[in-house]
Amino acid sequence: MYAQVVIFAPVAPSDSGPASPAFTYRLPDEQGDHLTVGSLVVVPFGSRRLYGIVVALSDLSPIPESNLRPIHSLVDLQPVLTPIQIALARWMSREYLAPLYRCLEVMLPPGIVGHADVEVELARPVTPRDVYTPAQDQLVTVLDARGPLHGRQLDRLLPRQQWRRAASQLARRRVVVKSSVLAPPRARPKQVSTVEWVAHAADLDEALEGLRSECYPTIAAFLQAEGEAVDVSWVYAETGCQRYHLSKLAERGLVAFDTEEVWRDPLADETFVPDTPPPLTSDQQSVWEAIRLAIRASDLRPLLIHGVTGSGKTEIYLRAVAETLAQGRQAILLVPEISLTPQTVHRVGARFGRRVAIFHSALTEGEQYDAWRRVRAGLVDIVIGPRSALFVPFSNLGLIVLDEEHDESYKQAAPSPRYHARPAALELARLSGAAIILGSATPSLQSYYHAQRGEFRLLEMRRRILAHPRRLSDLQARYQVPHTHYRSLEEEGTEARYRSLPPVQIVDLRAELRAGNRSIFSRLLQRALDEALGRGEQAILFLNRRGTATFVLCRDCGYVPHCPNCDTPLTYHGPDAQLVCHHCNHRAPQPERCPQCRSQRIRYFGLGTAQVERTIHRRWPDVRTLRWDHDTARHYAAHAAILDLFSSGLAHVLVGTQMIAKGLDLPLVTVVGVISADTALNLPDFGSGERTFQLLTQVAGRAGRGLLGGRVVIQTYHPDHYAVAAAAAHDYGRFAAQELAFRREQGYPPFRRLVKLVYEDEILSRARSEAEALAQALRQELSRRGLAPTDLIGPVPPFFSRLRGRYRWQILLRHSDPVELLHAVTIPPGWHVDVDPVDVL
């Protein structure tokens, strides 16, 4: 037998060129029976050893056997990828012009593949007559003192570029020897030490004779009560003993030490209170019947649920998961943001118990590795997470759900492969024979267009559900608010199943300025907040820009501090008194004088979430606030903590960026204010209108989800813009019709596909010449095919023309099948190819 192996290393001149080739190897005599498609192996490659994946087995070799080398070793006795995952990786490689090995890598948990490295050691003893440069002398001194070292060890001891250059020079002089090494995988099962009482109880007094510490009888009583091996750390915590005491007992044969493998499960300490499915509304029932029949009939046409915010889409997802599990199959539930995982986990866990796992990049390497192994072992039926959760190795996948399917977070921006989870999920569903449900209150225009053409089945829920009736005293106890809040509900009755979407009022900020109101809060928003806070209710204020001020300006000479790496204005962050670049994280101190004219008339312009929070405290001193943005929630646990604090009523106002616009269910929020609806509206991007409509609609959907109702105030300088007006009217159809007409006229998606090609270089002239050379090659290919030259836009510098010290030039290609066209053109190294980009900035 022969194996086709894709190695985890670049072997083509371009990282964005054709798919990685597979190399043929002989199966080794030992462990050959365990090798199968999807096995992770180590193979010889030139003078190195590299990791690779077996993608095919054959009893025929394409080259003479005398030229073949055997596979060196098998890393894991079980395959790490399924045949379906390998097929999906091949599709991603073709679709996104990415090397196959990168598409295979993205499906593995971090740490499962060890890194290739170099080992450096002295070839001969050091003598006083040897003459070295300072960098060479440093390297020789370190090696002489510590012996052979790996490259990663030397990186911690010496400047990386200097020692590597010195090592190459010394290797040519045969002073040192460089050899290729392969580090073992970092990810491995967690082992804990255990201890067990093995002596008979009758022998206890005699056995403990001479041991004076009170710890010994305490240990004996504890271990005897347990009756089995327990983690030694538990023994320390329960008895106050130390390792010394246990060792003494082990010397007398009273206890026995061992090791035990344990799962690293971030949900291990979660408590799931079981719930029962609530009765469905008529809208839900209609949609559920269509989905249930599709799952039972194995109808593989994608299902698109267009349900307004609060219409009960999650309950439909849960019932679809239950139907799938009843068939003995598994389900993946994707959410766009890691921050949405806790809320989703609690709802799914309450319904399905412990056979639920989460998978996302904020977990530790060990937690991701164990979640992946549990899925592979069949110990998990449901996986929840963002786009990376799509690649867990289920053996019998029956359902994929993409909640908030419109969200741009489903797009992998970098590094390669720059895939989008929605088409990847559609392909995985096709390969697996699984049902797929896409859900959103604001479906992407691509999905909506597919539904109009009949490629997707469109299911609509146009009415918002009133919170399920519960006793008013329960509500009062849960939210700790006066009973008078619910008098109107007693009059209306809580048996009504639907509630109107919250009314949205648009405020023209130009009129506010003319009326003399220079506050960031319009008069209407101030009144709404006064009323809600006076009743003990909660509010959300949205601004999609973090920080205190957008930019800093000298009032005398007009100087604006820019990032030296990105040519973008620095944002002022007040609490740290720093200017920060939101692209490369460059930081500079707050200026006291203008560095250009030495003036002290430094002023701060624009607005960020931190400034909104400070303004709230000045206007409402007694109000407790929380801020939810990238500055305050850099870790997964921070998202859950902020959500828990706000949902428990410990804060009155939540100020945040787009993190607060997605899927949060907060019944006590009655006012939502959009501080500025214009942040993304005027960006030079074809998707700015759609992005604005989706964001405003989703933010507005956070209001009035409970029994108290709600209202929304949108502040804007463009009250007549069709995206703002349609969002205020909760009218998706009106927006989609106008936006699709514009896209059809301009030849933008979904009518034609886009590819964004970006070249970056530290030298501006070189970036421009490379862009012009590729553009010329693309024009020639378009001409050869008889296509219009207008299908090529550029080359031009993009909106962000310089990032992280590198100049950027961009080409946009519009075509019905741009990937097929690009396969006919050689793309030189250094280009970033983004198929179906979500923006062109």
Side-chain angles (χ1 to χ4, degrees):
M1 293 289 291
Y2 305 94
Q4 297 291 316
V5 178
V6 173
I7 61 170
F8 289 130
V11 294
S14 172
D15 198 34
S16 59
S20 309
F23 296 91
T24 305
Y25 289 87
R26 286 189 286 111
L27 266 62
D29 295 333
E30 64 284 355
Q31 295 185 328
D33 293 340
H34 296 286
L35 272 167
T36 185
V37 172
S39 290
L40 178 63
V41 295
V42 174
V43 296
F45 192 80
S47 61
R48 300 178 290 168
R49 287 178 181 167
L50 298 174
Y51 288 94
I53 291 287
V54 176
V55 296
L57 293 173
S58 172
D59 54 3
L60 297 176
S61 172
I63 58 177
E65 185 168 354
S66 58
N67 296 335
L68 294 181
R69 303 168 74 179
I71 290 174
H72 178 267
S73 62
L74 178 64
V75 178
D76 194 323
L77 292 180
Q78 299 182 59
V80 298
L81 293 177
T82 67
I84 288 177
Q85 287 181 298
I86 293 173
L88 178 62
R90 292 187 186 277
W91 176 86
M92 291 172 59
S93 178
R94 292 191 304 270
E95 189 71 11
Y96 297 105
L97 296 170
L100 179 56
Y101 82 91
R102 290 191 178 273
C103 298
L104 294 169
E105 274 184 326
V106 81
M107 298 185 182
L108 296 175
I112 196 172
V113 175
H115 61 271
D117 206 345
V118 62
E119 183 179 71
V120 185
E121 63 177 320
L122 290 173
R124 55 180 173 79
V126 179
T127 65
R129 293 174 297 178
D130 294 328
V131 179
Y132 306 119
T133 66
Q136 292 172 351
D137 186 61
Q138 280 186 318
L139 178 61
V140 169
T141 301
V142 168
L143 295 176
D144 187 43
R146 305 187 59 169
L149 294 173
H150 288 183
R152 293 205 172 188
Q153 295 172 305
L154 288 168
D155 286 340
R156 293 192 291 267
L157 299 172
L158 301 171
R160 177 184 176 88
Q161 296 299 329
Q162 292 183 19
W163 81 254
R164 288 184 179 272
R165 189 180 305 111
S168 298
Q169 295 165 350
L170 293 172
R172 289 193 292 270
R173 293 170 54 184
R174 298 184 179 179
V175 176
V176 303
V177 175
K178 295 169 59 181
S179 55
S180 175
V181 295
L182 198 59
R186 298 187 308 276
R188 52 177 60 91
K190 181 179 180 180
Q191 302 284 338
V192 298
S193 296
T194 62
V195 63
E196 181 179 11
W197 186 263
V198 294
H200 296 295
D203 303 331
L204 182 58
D205 292 337
E206 182 181 346
L208 296 180
E209 186 178 353
L211 299 177
R212 298 181 180 180
S213 172
E214 296 180 358
C215 282
Y216 294 110
T218 304
I219 295 170
F222 175 75
L223 291 178
Q224 286 177 348
E226 290 298 320
E228 60 182 9
V230 297
D231 190 333
V232 294
S233 62
W234 189 8
V235 180
Y236 300 153
E238 292 293 326
T239 67
C241 75
Q242 298 178 3
R243 180 77 182 192
Y244 167 80
H245 301 108
L246 292 177
S247 299
K248 278 291 185 182
L249 294 177
E251 290 174 3
R252 298 192 176 198
L254 303 178
V255 300
F257 288 107
D258 202 351
T259 58
E260 179 181 320
E261 182 178 321
V262 296
W263 296 110
R264 289 159 288 201
D265 182 5
L267 302 181
D269 296 329
E270 294 286 343
T271 301
F272 298 126
V273 179
D275 73 349
T276 55
L280 299 180
T281 65
S282 57
D283 285 0
Q284 286 178 309
Q285 188 66 43
S286 175
V287 168
W288 168 235
E289 285 299 324
I291 290 177
R292 183 173 61 85
L293 291 174
I295 293 176
R296 290 185 177 182
S298 299
D299 182 357
L300 300 185
R301 185 166 56 149
L303 301 155
L304 174 62
I305 301 179
H306 177 202
V308 299
T309 56
S311 59
K313 295 184 291 295
T314 303
E315 179 58 34
I316 300 297
Y317 303 154
L318 294 176
R319 293 187 180 230
V321 170
E323 184 70 28
T324 302
L325 299 188
Q327 297 179 0
R329 307 186 75 181
Q330 299 101 20
I332 297 173
L333 207 166
L334 297 185
V335 293
E337 296 274 4
I338 293 174
S339 59
L340 295 179
T341 308
Q343 181 172 281
T344 306
V345 164
H346 282 292
R347 293 202 62 178
V348 177
R351 190 70 58 87
F352 301 105
R354 287 287 170 189
R355 292 180 70 85
V356 177
I358 56 174
F359 190 90
H360 54 70
S361 59
L363 302 178
T364 66
E365 266 191 11
E367 288 171 337
Q368 292 180 69
Y369 178 59
D370 280 0
W372 175 84
R373 286 199 305 138
R374 289 169 63 212
V375 171
R376 185 177 66 168
L379 302 178
V380 170
D381 292 323
I382 308 165
V383 168
I384 301 169
R387 59 177 182 267
S388 59
L390 186 65
F391 304 121
V392 294
F394 273 134
S395 59
N396 191 16
L397 181 63
L399 176 69
I400 304 173
V401 176
L402 267 80
D403 191 24
E404 310 290 358
E405 66 86 30
H406 68 278
D407 200 284
E408 293 182 357
S409 298
Y410 283 123
K411 174 72 174 184
Q412 167 77 12
S416 177
R418 294 174 172 82
Y419 69 93
H420 197 296
R422 183 174 57 244
L426 291 168
E427 179 64 15
L428 177 59
R430 187 190 68 81
L431 292 169
S432 305
I436 181 167
I437 301 173
L438 314 176
S440 176
T442 55
S444 65
L445 287 176
Q446 285 89 340
S447 296
Y448 187 68
Y449 180 68
H450 287 311
Q452 286 186 322
R453 290 164 56 92
E455 298 166 11
F456 292 0
R457 183 172 180 181
L458 180 62
L459 304 170
E460 294 186 299
M461 296 192 295
R462 298 179 179 272
R463 294 181 290 182
R464 168 177 280 192
I465 301 174
L466 181 69
H468 292 293
R470 61 177 74 178
R471 291 185 302 112
L472 298 183
S473 58
D474 290 343
L475 281 169
Q476 183 183 8
R478 180 175 180 182
Y479 296 117
Q480 299 179 354
V481 293
H483 178 79
T484 53
H485 290 190
Y486 305 107
R487 284 179 182 168
S488 62
L489 296 173
E490 291 180 299
E491 296 169 3
E492 297 172 6
T494 57
E495 295 302 321
R497 302 305 306 278
Y498 295 105
R499 175 183 288 284
S500 300
L501 289 165
V504 178
Q505 296 168 281
I506 299 177
V507 175
D508 187 345
L509 290 177
R510 297 169 300 180
E512 290 292 305
L513 289 174
R514 287 194 294 269
N517 179 20
R518 298 188 175 276
S519 168
I520 64 173
F521 301 123
S522 63
R523 292 165 295 175
L524 180 62
L525 181 55
Q526 289 184 49
R527 285 197 301 272
L529 290 171
D530 284 337
E531 294 168 4
L533 295 175
R535 293 191 300 262
E537 297 164 0
Q538 291 180 311
I540 287 178
L541 297 179
F542 169 80
L543 177 66
N544 206 19
R545 183 178 285 144
R546 59 191 172 98
T548 304
T550 308
F551 66 96
V552 180
L553 172 74
C554 173
R555 293 291 294 269
D556 288 334
C557 71
Y559 171 79
V560 175
H562 278 66
C563 173
N565 305 315
C566 303
D567 286 347
T568 57
L570 294 173
T571 299
Y572 173 59
H573 286 247
D576 299 324
Q578 284 188 323
L579 304 183
V580 181
C581 175
H582 287 175
H583 294 283
C584 71
N585 205 35
H586 169 80
R587 295 173 182 264
Q590 176 186 3
E592 297 181 0
R593 290 179 176 270
C594 172
Q596 187 163 282
C597 72
R598 308 304 298 167
S599 168
Q600 290 184 321
R601 288 175 19 105
I602 303 295
R603 297 294 181 267
Y604 300 86
F605 293 87
L607 191 64
T609 50
Q611 180 62 24
V612 172
E613 189 177 32
R614 289 168 59 182
T615 306
I616 293 171
H617 290 155
R618 287 198 296 267
R619 176 66 174 76
W620 295 277
D622 297 329
V623 165
R624 296 188 298 273
T625 62
L626 284 171
R627 184 156 53 93
W628 195 349
D629 57 23
H630 185 67
D631 292 334
T632 61
R634 294 180 179 272
H635 188 266
Y636 166 67
H639 295 287
I642 293 172
L643 178 58
D644 184 61
L645 286 171
F646 190 66
S647 61
S648 63
L650 295 180
H652 305 111
V653 180
L654 177 64
V655 181
T657 58
Q658 61 186 6
M659 294 178 180
I660 67 174
K662 303 170 184 177
L664 299 180
D665 191 0
L666 302 166
L668 208 58
V669 171
T670 60
V671 172
V672 167
V674 178
I675 302 300
S676 174
D678 309 321
T679 304
L681 199 55
N682 296 314
L683 290 174
D685 181 61
F686 74 93
S688 61
E690 181 181 12
R691 196 173 297 117
T692 298
F693 172 80
Q694 290 170 341
L695 205 50
L696 293 179
T697 303
Q698 293 286 342
V699 172
R702 300 314 110 207
R705 296 176 73 95
L707 292 167
L708 301 177
R711 63 192 295 195
V712 181
V713 178
I714 296 178
Q715 301 181 162
T716 176
Y717 288 99
H718 299 85
D720 299 325
H721 193 284
Y722 66 93
V724 176
H730 303 288
D731 194 342
Y732 178 85
R734 169 177 147 195
F735 167 76
Q738 194 160 351
E739 183 71 11
L740 285 172
F742 163 74
R743 300 274 186 97
R744 186 189 300 273
E745 179 183 345
Q746 298 297 322
Y748 283 124
F751 300 99
R752 282 199 287 178
R753 295 178 66 190
L754 277 182
V755 173
K756 179 171 70 174
L757 300 103
V758 179
Y759 189 84
E760 299 180 356
D761 201 291
E762 295 175 354
I763 301 174
L764 176 60
S765 58
R766 189 160 58 198
R768 178 173 183 170
S769 62
E770 288 286 345
E772 289 174 343
L774 180 58
Q776 181 61 28
L778 291 170
R779 290 191 193 98
Q780 291 175 357
E781 183 61 24
L782 289 172
S783 176
R784 187 182 69 81
R785 296 173 180 234
L787 300 175
T790 54
D791 290 338
L792 191 72
I793 304 174
V796 293
F799 182 77
F800 298 112
S801 60
R802 186 168 178 253
L803 291 177
R804 299 171 185 86
R806 299 174 69 84
Y807 294 94
R808 307 168 77 236
W809 277 72
Q810 178 172 285
I811 299 171
L812 294 178
L813 179 64
R814 291 184 296 194
H815 192 260
S816 59
D817 189 1
V819 174
E820 187 273 334
L821 188 149
L822 287 174
H823 275 299
V825 178
T826 300
I827 302 176
W831 281 92
H832 302 301
V833 181
D834 189 356
V835 179
D836 299 327
V838 295
D839 66 67
V840 294
L841 301 175

